Amino acid sequence: MSIRHLLWIIVTVISTSLAATPLWADDVASDDVAQLAATIDRHIAAAWETQGVVPAPQADDAEFMRRTYLNIAGRIPPVSEVREFLADTDPNKRRQLVDRLLDHPGYVNHFAHTWRMLMIPEADVDQQARVLAPSFEGWLRDKFIDNVAYDEMARELIACRISGNEREGAVAFYRAKEVKPESVASSISRLFLGVQLDCAQCHNHPFAKWQQEEFWGFTAFFAGIDGDRFGSLSDDASRREIGLDGSQTLVQARFIDETSPDWSGEARTRDVLADWITSKENPYFARTGANRIWAHFFGVGIVDPPDGFDEANPPTHPELLNDLARSFAAHDFDFKFLIRAITASKTYQLSSHRTDDSQDEQRWIGRMPVKGMSPRQLADCLIQATGGFETSNPRNQFLGGRQVDTQIQALFENQRDSNVDPQSTILQALALMNCQFITQQTESASSNTLSAILQSPFLDTDGKIETMYLTTLNRQPREAELSRLRTYVETKSEEPAPRLSFLEAARSLIQPVAEKNNANEEKALADIFWALLNSSEFIFNH
Amino acid sequence: MTRRQKSQPPQSATRHVSRRTLLQATLGCAASAISSNWFPAFAAETADKPRRPGACILLWMSGGPSQIDTFDPKPEHKNGGGRLSIETSVPGIRISENLPQVAKWMKRMAIVRSMSTKEGDHSRGTYVMRTGYRPQGPIQYPAIGALYSKELANEHADLPGYVSISPFRGFNASAYGPGFLGPRYAPLVVGNGGTVRVNGKPSSSLKVENLSLPGTVDVARHDDRLSILSGLEDDFSGSRPGNAVDGHRTAYKNAIRMMRSESIAAFELDGEPDALKQKYGLTEFGMGCLLARRLVERGVPFIEVSLNNAAGNGGSFGWDTHQENLDRVASLCQVLDPAWATLMEDLDERGLLDSTTIIWMGEFGRTPRINSNAGRDHFPAAWSSVLAGGGVKGGRIVGQTSPDGMKVVDRPVNAQDFLGTICGCLGIDSQAENISNVGRPISVVDPEAKPIQEVIA
């Protein structure tokens, strides 16, 4: 079967409606967010029906808020906002929260970082590529600040001007790929077409239908670029052929649907490619983009992995993918629109609490999957929960804030793509139990949050435990938890003071009993804080 | 137990019991979960630990070592670069002059000179040689360290079954992971292979980070904390069961077991005689080999030690000698040769060489032809790897390359064949199957593999 055949399958079988209705339909309803949300729910419910899935109940406000904060702003909410949100009686407050978060600087940082990880994954494992990541992430941040549309962002990347010693912005992407046409091509095809052409680089693809010639035909669009990671760059914008796998056999640039580009006019090679990729008629582009945003919120794509569009790997909900893609294109590829619609759906607002066996197959989304956090997300959450240094403050980078970030990042760097199957390792557990940062943040003398809670004159023991829950897990403790932990603190408070150094012992002779109990109580509360920071409920996004 | 007692003053033993009783009374099921679920009775388990079947030490040559300048010298041909070959302990077998000490162990070694693979890219080559499979879409193949240690591991061991010393994961991080076997089989990584270290005091860099409790927390308090954590985990895993929560619990259980085990003394190289350390070489790789021996002694079934750099070699790209190949390989061999030979000798003296299989390989070989920068480029078509020690019929050569080294003329061996051979030496069933992340059962080594039977003892 040829590529043309595959394309035909995608266009006709998967998306029968595509041929009839153009993607850019103008008839968008007034409350289009609610409408797309309802469409999502309809398709998901239809699959539940055929798969025999009994869905979980709706998430409560606390669960919704924590998850949404993590997904959009990349970290957990501050206590004050949790209290405010839980007390808010506005029936529209969930959508209002999303609107607020989309204007939050956290959205820009989190999405820029997320897309940087997608676009230059090399930077997480390769120290040379890592050098290039900050400037590229800065470029992405500018895109998200201006809410630049997905097609425009893709176009700027694909058609980016390459010359001289330019190292900033989109050029950093090419440098991270060592300015190798084949590396850039395989990355672009994964990112914007959702297909892994690179397996066909050296040989015909074992499972999918990509042939070696197709890979090199696509790579030929990048044939003109030349240079290396840190040297001078050049670009022959009219070059459109490349040697197959370094051989003398020249392959002409052509699209992966085997159509030949229109070279009329004074077309620059990569401009022509950018036009084709970002066209609203391109059956891959909108779907790949919509699928990625979907995967960001659910941990699994409708096609999963999101760069595995392949006839051997069909979408779980083909009509849903089409509708998402169509709406995305109709709203001029506005990320925020898609995010508003997804988060407004009942599907997104399902609890992650398992109430039925049928919810175990994550792809049918009978409940919200439990997801891992990116290393940066975890570092930011630890900082948010403990009041540790803000990494965003450059002054603090010298004081240790930055170090926390990199420490945690290093420990979790081999986290896999699929974040519904997060890998916990012994080294991560050791770090979260014993590392210097956690130790400092769970001792009243050196922790901002903990000392504030312990010293608050307004809080009794219950109030202190409750505040620690709100700080870390962003919810109220349940009655059973509260009573268990209250008993723990009371028991500890009544214990004789722990073994003392000579000096402490001397001091204790002149210290009133109440103060001794107070020291024990503080330690007991610190123990609870430590346990909360080490818990699955804190470490995962659920 | 020694460790536990050491960290507390003598009178605390009794108080510990009373605190524990108190906790059990107050925390109910949470506290009992500690003893049943979180940490089993350590002392008892360590005592009746059965003898492990065998162990494997992988000496991983990151970047792709030059076969001509190591195990397939071509002194007669211009591709040999003018370097000489030397006699080994086996008459008729000659290797490069770069490896004089290793040459003395030829009787225990089998050199495969006919490695022939298809991947000439670092990332893909690393993946194929370290997992046995080509990267294929969504399937997350495990590293052989994870696969073999799963087959060889003692369930009750205090240390993880797969220890990776100084890995350089830059070429392909997923080739160092447990893949679809899950986090339980992830390597315990020590040392940071990504950085160049100066010779001198490398042993401190091979410690496991964050292994000891902070000064302000004694074991009794750590127990208290874990009892609270255990309660939180029971609640959360009850409502959100799945891989994430299971993986978290397993990682903590194993981390705590290791923190409290006597086996962690393996990482204390300070007590080893200075003369022995000098013999291994005071390099990160030399100390890594010494650590590997100590881990084998304590029953760890799979240890890999990466050689990523040598002093004055610049950067961390190890054997990727596109420039100045001859000099750079010589300096890498000055690190490799004493460390490897001493490892063989040390294991042998302790009666462990017969049960420990040592593998030497990288992701591919290098071009016989010397390029314009006096370097050698990537070359998967005809290269060398080595099997040594336990389970290996030593003193032999497998396969042959042409006089110019450009092609294999006898007995080509691909990645799968070679990894299947290691399984044979270790006594592992290479066709044992694991369920992959896409639901399909996948064997330890591809069923098509043709192990080199003549080197399996």
Side-chain angles (χ1 to χ4, degrees), chain B residues 127-401:
Chain B
Y127 196 85
V128 165
M129 288 312 297
R130 295 181 53 91
T131 68
Y133 291 87
R134 289 176 174 188
Q136 277 168 10
I139 306 177
Q140 298 163 347
Y141 292 104
I144 54 172
L147 280 167
Y148 296 176
S149 62
K150 175 172 181 284
E151 298 299 316
L152 293 169
N154 170 3
E155 284 266 310
H156 304 298
D158 296 337
L159 294 174
Y162 173 18
V163 178
S164 181
I165 302 172
S166 313
F168 171 71
R169 286 171 286 189
F171 288 139
N172 193 326
S174 47
Y176 290 78
F180 56 66
L181 295 181
R184 202 178 143 195
Y185 299 98
L188 174 70
V189 176
V190 293
N192 182 355
T195 55
V196 179
R197 285 178 201 283
V198 187
N199 286 357
K201 287 186 183 170
S203 62
S204 59
S205 68
L206 298 181
K207 294 242 169 80
V208 182
E209 279 186 74
N210 303 311
L211 195 55
S212 27
L213 288 172
T216 47
V217 180
D218 60 15
V219 174
R221 189 172 180 203
H222 191 55
D223 280 348
D224 288 346
R225 290 178 161 194
L226 292 172
S227 73
I228 305 170
L229 178 58
S230 189
L232 293 170
E233 290 307 298
D234 286 347
D235 287 352
F236 194 69
S237 63
S239 66
R240 274 101 175 154
N243 290 344
V245 187
D246 289 351
H248 179 265
R249 175 163 294 203
T250 307
Y252 273 71
K253 202 167 90 180
N254 291 338
I256 294 159
R257 196 212 298 251
M258 193 165 80
M259 282 171 70
R260 299 181 174 196
S261 155
E262 288 176 26
S263 305
I264 57 171
F267 297 97
E268 303 291 338
L269 302 183
D270 297 349
E272 291 283 347
D274 277 346
L276 184 64
K277 287 192 207 166
Q278 298 278 358
K279 231 172 144 182
Y280 271 100
L282 292 178
T283 58
E284 187 166 343
F285 182 74
M287 292 302 97
C289 286
L290 174 58
L291 175 56
R293 186 218 82 206
R294 294 175 63 88
L295 292 167
V296 167
E297 285 179 305
R298 284 164 180 81
V300 176
F302 191 98
I303 304 119
E304 66 190 13
V305 192
S306 290
L307 177 47
N308 315 306
N309 54 61
N313 207 17
S316 54
F317 295 100
W319 297 86
D320 196 24
T321 51
H322 289 287
Q323 293 101 25
E324 307 298 334
N325 167 75
L326 292 176
D327 294 347
R328 290 177 63 183
V329 170
S331 67
L332 283 157
C333 285
Q334 280 163 20
V335 175
L336 172 68
D337 191 46
W340 186 1
T342 308
L343 176 64
M344 303 279 288
E345 185 184 322
D346 207 4
L347 286 170
D348 194 34
E349 280 172 6
R350 285 159 201 266
L352 291 167
L353 189 57
D354 290 337
S355 57
T356 307
T357 308
I358 297 161
I359 310 298
W360 179 90
M361 67 174 175
E363 62 264 38
F364 40 62
R366 307 206 76 83
T367 44
R369 201 171 293 123
I370 296 171
N371 69 23
S372 56
N373 295 320
R376 297 192 193 271
D377 304 317
H378 304 179
F379 194 62
W383 54 288
S384 302
S385 62
V386 177
L387 301 134
V392 178
K393 279 190 190 158
R396 48 185 80 209
I397 300 285
V398 175
Q400 198 187 337
T401 52

Side-chain angles (χ1 to χ4, degrees), chain A residues 63 125 127 196 203 352 354 367 416 423-424 434-435 443 469 488 492 495 499 523 527 530 534-536, chain B residues 9 19 22 134 137 140 170 173 178 183 194 210 214 216 221 224-225 232-233 239-241 244 248 252 259:
Chain A
E63 192 180 349
V125 288
Q127 296 179 345
Q196 304 173 3
H203 42 75
S352 55
R354 177 184 188 262
R367 62 178 172 113
R416 305 298 301 247
Q423 308 266 316
S424 303
N434 304 329
C435 81
E443 274 171 23
Y469 263 76
Y488 176 78
K492 287 282 156 190
E495 266 184 22
R499 67 197 157 91
K523 278 182 80 174
D527 291 340
W530 178 94
N534 273 276
S535 68
S536 297
Chain B
R19 282 159 65 105
L22 198 60
R134 289 176 174 188
Q140 298 163 347
N210 303 311
T216 47
R221 189 172 180 203
D224 288 346
R225 290 178 161 194
L232 293 170
E233 290 307 298
S239 66
R240 274 101 175 154
H248 179 265
Y252 273 71
M259 282 171 70

